[in-house]
Amino acid sequence: MLGKVVTEKLGPDEPGLERAAAILRSGGVVALPTETVYGLAARADCAEAVAKIYEAKGRPSFNPLIVHVHSLEQARTLAKFNPNSLELAADHWPGPLTLVLPRRRDATLADAIAAGLPTVALRCPAHAVMRRVIELVDAPLAAPSANRSGFVSPTTANHVLATLDGRIDAVVDGGPTAAGIESTIVAVRPDGRREVLRPGPILLGEVVAGIDGQVEAPGQLSQHYAPGKPVRLNVRDPDPDEFMIGFGAVDGVCSLSDNGDLEVAAARLYACLHDASGSSLPRIAIAPIPEDGIGRAINDRLRRAAS
Ligand code: TXA
Ligand code: MG
């Protein structure tokens, strides 16, 4: 299939979503918008469909996938919840929070999803397109970010096509995504302990499984966010050959947010990195971003982009 398929461009209207669902039902792969980034979806209960995600992305198969569900009820067929995980789900679902939970033995999930782990990562997205498609397919959908492995995550349909055109069956264009960076991932252990594995739009405290220590979320590998050029952080005075990404009072070729709004900066982060990658300038420089609130998640992605 690779290199030979014509990637269908679908609208976010009901006929477009019905077409997307039909492709997914028959085992295809479709890129769909979520409130964080675009995801490359396939039915999570079908091994061949899940294999197509790994193939299209060129993703190492030891890297497990997030499973997207429509409701807590659907999530409970796949994982064991305890009072702590139920509380997190009640507070933040639907929304940009992924829960890593003990997998149920009777969960109908392709083996490749968990990549050998006894857990499963579940997310109930808020985006109307993703929600409607899960409902129409009537099965949970595995969906990593819709980019070739090692490239910057996509926040528009064009970003998806930049690395996956001809490698996937379709993309639904739902416009730019709102949050702009990937969901917060938190593991809830059987004893109730919470461990934040990836910082994101939902602020839940310190990251315990750091990027450099024992990495339980293997997608946390540094090159995951690489824009393909050297990146310098905390820059106020760029060199002439650097594509400068500004923030607040520090100007640039583009700015994450002129007035220093961190939520806006998160939403624009990957679009700026895509612009920087596509520019003729050989290097990228980025203004300092405060380590407050969602600034932590932005700096987490920037440190990976720079390493
Ligand atoms: O916002 C998001 O989470 C987006 C949208 C599409 O939903 N998805 C996303 O997926 O960022 P991906 O595959 O790029 O990142 C998933 C992360 C990886 O770091 C992976 O290693 C980790 O989740 N992960 C998946 N299953 C896991 C598990 N059972 N235990 C620990 N980490 C897991
Ligand atoms: Mg990714």
Side-chain angles (χ1 to χ4, degrees), residues 57 59 144-145 147 151 153 182 198 219 224-225:
K57 280 185 64 92
R59 183 182 177 108
S145 53
N147 52 277
F151 287 82
S153 295
E182 299 86 347
R198 178 173 73 185
H224 206 64
Y225 297 89

Side-chain angles (χ1 to χ4, degrees), residues 32-40 57 59 62-68 96-101 103 113-115 117-123 125 130 143-147 153 181-185 187 189 197-198 201 215-221 224-225 301:
L32 299 168
T34 81
E35 70 275 34
T36 58
V37 301
Y38 276 68
L40 182 59
K57 280 185 64 92
R59 183 182 177 108
F62 59 79
N63 195 354
L65 302 174
I66 295 176
V67 175
H68 296 69
L97 178 71
T98 296
L99 296 175
V100 170
L101 303 173
R103 185 157 29 103
I113 299 243
L117 297 169
T119 52
V120 62
L122 296 178
R123 167 154 128 75
M130 187 62 155
S145 53
N147 52 277
S153 295
I181 53 175
E182 299 86 347
S183 61
T184 303
I185 302 181
R189 303 308 178 193
L197 305 181
R198 178 173 73 185
V215 179
E216 178 173 347
Q220 298 302 84
L221 299 173
H224 206 64
Y225 297 89
R301 306 310 190 271

Side-chain angles (χ1 to χ4, degrees), residues 42-45 68-70 74 133-142:
R43 21 181 341 151
D45 57 358
H68 296 69
V69 294
H70 190 264
Q74 193 173 39
V133 174
I134 299 172
E135 198 170 54
L136 288 168
V137 177
D138 199 22
L141 297 178

